[in-house]
Amino acid sequence: MGQKRGRDAFVSQGFDTWNKKDAFRTHVGGVDSFHNKTKEKCELLMKEKQAINVVLRRQTEAEDHKYKARLRVSIIVVRLLLKTGLPFRGHDESVNSENRGLYIEVLKAIRETSEDIFNNTLENAPKNKVLLIIREEIGQDVFALLVDEYSDVSKKKQMAIVLHYVPSLGFVKERFIGLVHVKDTSSLTLKNAINEVLIICASCRRKDLLREKARERVRKGLCSGELETGRGLNQETTLVRAGETRWGSHLNTLTSLMKLFADVLVVLVFVKEEGGSLANHQQASRILTYFKSYEFVFYLHMVYDILHLMVTLSKQLQRKDLDILEAASMVRGTMEAL
């Protein structure tokens, strides 16, 4: 009743004082009471148009409609290009390219005639759905990678990638992943192309992006005079994983994080926008918000100072020529500093 908590008579204990009718009116309460709100939700749930199964079916039908709109226009474009013998891909299919290839350009022309097709194709289409479903089917199991190289009519080398695996149902599946343009067929080129296609190599892409941003930051710092050159300075660094048994390794982790903090934020933004799964998007978003908070920066510097003092003390206590009095003095000095 309101903000007060009553008995559990109408919930679990049961109601036995039937002669006290006022208890029912008190329980029902006003318009905004818990009873009336619950009653309203129950009535809404029992309405056919708002039932859970109806809502789910309506959402499923909407998704089917979007899928069929994408599939229908894709088949039209594919038939046209196959009939005329024209190449599908372009030299530069990036968003900023003036000519992204016949498949995309024809699709762009068709989608301008229909709002339904426009809202469900190209940049408005769901991303990485096929790869996500395949990854869920494979799970933690093994899989084979089938790679074949060929040249199209324009003598442009293409690499086809197919995944070969056995899902939980027990029968063999082969799923086409995509076509990738390659400049040559060397093992390094093919490896890099495969890394770009599979979501399973997202961590490698993040590390490469982190190194690239760090090198760019050092280059700009050297050019502007903010950084100095010298032996052992400005060496390439990356994030260090903290060890489970050596607590001193946490200092190395914090040190690398503080050096690469701006670059780490860039990588988090990349994962937030381009991550392979919804969980990656959400996790990167939460970490990014926390990293930008005053609370995190304060804790980062505080823990770094504490670990720095403790690691320094630990190294001094491991000296073979250290006597007990000097060790006790070091411990007292460290405690006072803390």
Side-chain angles (χ1 to χ4, degrees), residues 80-99:
L80 172 64
L81 296 180
L82 288 176
K83 184 177 181 180
T84 55
L86 295 175
F88 282 59
R89 298 174 62 87
H91 293 289
D92 182 6
E93 295 188 344
S94 62
V95 178
N96 298 325
S97 175
E98 296 182 357
N99 185 357

Side-chain angles (χ1 to χ4, degrees), residues 7-16:
R7 296 183 297 122
D8 291 332
F10 295 96
V11 181
S12 58
Q13 297 178 0
F15 184 76
D16 53 8

